[in-house]
Amino acid sequence: MKKIAIIIVMLLIGFSAEAQNLDTFFKQADAFLNANVANGKVAYDAIKKDTKSLDEVLKTAESISVLKSDAKNYQAFWINAYNLSVIKGLINNYPTKSPLDDKGFFDKTKYSLGGKKITLNDIEHKLLRAEFKDPRFHFVLVCGAVGCPPLIAKAYLPITLETQLQNQTKLALNGNYFIKVNVKKKRVEGSKILEWYKEDFTMNGMTEIEYINTIRTEKIPADYKLSYFEYNWKINKQ
C-alpha cells in the first residue's frame, strides 16, 4: 500500500507541475501577443531588437506535454505554438518580405515544441486538422502573411477557446478580407484557403457557400458562383 501511495503522490506532483507549465505558457503567450500585436499586425522590428520574451515562451513550450484527450488544452496549446513559431521563423530571417522567401518555412524548418521536433505543417495538418476535423482552425492559425486571418493580440486559452474560434470565424466570413460578394454579377470571391482546404469546408455534403452561410449573417444566395482571389503572401508587419 505504501508503494502505491508513493506512486500516486508522484503522479499527482507530475500532473500539477505540467499544469503549472501549461499555465505559464498561456500567460507568457498572452503577454507577448498583447505587447507585439495590434490590428492583426505584428511588431517584427521591435521583436527583432529584443527576442527575449519570444524565446522565453517558446522555451516553456519545449517540454510541455498535453494529451489529445484533453482537447481544449491541447488545441489551445498547439494553436498558440503554431502562431508563435511562425513569428519566430520570420524573425530568424528578418528582414523578410514574406514567409515564402524562406524555402521550407512551413514544411522543413523544425521547432522544439511539446516534446517534439516538428514543422508548422505537422502542427496544422497532423496535430489539429487530422485529429479534430474543425474548419475553424483556418481562422486562427496565422501564417505570417497579410492573406492569413488576422492575428489577435491575446493567447487562445482553453477556457475561452470555443468562443475565440467562433468569433474569429464570424469575423472572417462576415468581413470583406476573406469573402467578397458581388451582387450585380451574382458572384462571390473567397480566400484561396477555401480552395486549398475545400475538403474541410465541404464535410457532411455541404458546399463551400453552404458552410459560409452557417456562419454568415447576410446569407449568400445558392445560385451565386464561387471563385477565389489571389493570396497575399506579404508579411503581416506593423
Side-chain angles (χ1 to χ4, degrees):
M1 288 295 293
K2 187 176 180 180
K3 287 183 178 179
I4 294 174
I6 292 172
I7 291 171
I8 291 173
V9 169
M10 290 177 67
L11 287 172
L12 289 173
I13 291 171
F15 288 142
S16 176
E18 194 55 59
Q20 288 178 347
N21 287 343
L22 194 56
D23 187 54
T24 298
F25 169 76
F26 287 135
K27 287 178 179 177
Q28 289 175 329
D30 193 66
F32 171 80
L33 293 167
N34 185 257
N36 292 287
V37 178
N39 300 317
K41 302 296 177 64
V42 182
Y44 292 107
D45 290 319
I47 299 168
K48 182 67 174 181
K49 290 177 182 177
D50 183 3
T51 64
K52 183 180 177 181
S53 58
L54 178 59
D55 293 338
E56 284 180 347
V57 64
L58 289 173
K59 183 66 177 178
T60 301
E62 283 185 12
S63 58
I64 287 174
S65 178
V66 58
L67 298 175
K68 183 176 59 180
S69 57
D70 186 7
K72 294 304 179 188
N73 274 319
Y74 179 97
Q75 291 176 27
F77 171 74
W78 284 112
I79 290 168
N80 289 308
Y82 180 96
N83 290 339
L84 292 167
S85 296
V86 167
I87 294 174
K88 177 64 174 174
L90 289 167
I91 288 297
N92 287 345
N93 295 284
Y94 200 77
T96 183
K97 294 181 179 179
S98 166
L100 295 187
D101 287 347
D102 177 19
K103 188 176 181 180
F105 186 87
F106 294 102
D107 62 351
K108 294 290 190 298
T109 302
K110 292 188 176 182
Y111 300 89
S112 296
L113 300 165
K116 309 172 187 290
K117 289 283 189 180
I118 195 166
T119 69
L120 293 169
N121 276 358
D122 288 337
I123 297 172
E124 180 177 7
H125 305 313
K126 295 179 181 179
L127 300 186
L128 291 172
R129 289 180 60 230
E131 296 294 346
F132 296 99
K133 310 296 184 185
D134 190 337
R136 297 178 301 173
F137 289 136
H138 296 296
F139 306 109
V140 299
L141 295 173
V142 183
C143 69
V146 173
C148 307
L151 186 63
I152 61 174
K154 59 181 67 176
Y156 287 93
L157 304 175
I159 194 170
T160 55
L161 181 60
E162 178 59 30
T163 299
Q164 289 174 310
L165 282 167
Q166 196 65 10
N167 284 348
Q168 292 309 111
T169 302
K170 286 179 179 178
L171 285 172
L173 297 185
N174 286 283
N176 60 8
Y177 71 88
F178 200 88
I179 299 291
K180 300 175 183 180
V181 179
N182 188 321
V183 176
K184 289 183 178 180
K185 294 184 178 181
K186 291 188 175 183
R187 298 190 65 86
V188 55
E189 285 187 299
S191 166
K192 279 281 189 180
I193 290 173
L194 289 169
E195 182 179 28
W196 293 334
Y197 302 107
K198 183 174 180 176
E199 67 270 27
D200 292 4
F201 299 102
T202 56
M203 290 186 287
N204 304 316
M206 286 192 296
T207 65
E208 296 103 305
I209 289 179
E210 286 172 339
Y211 174 78
I212 292 166
N213 282 340
T214 65
I215 305 293
R216 191 175 168 88
T217 301
E218 187 175 342
K219 309 303 182 188
I220 299 170
D223 63 341
Y224 275 36
K225 301 296 183 183
L226 176 64
S227 59
Y228 310 96
F229 54 84
E230 286 304 310
Y231 206 73
N232 186 345
W233 280 105
K234 182 181 178 181
I235 188 174
N236 59 344
K237 66 176 290 186
Q238 289 180 9

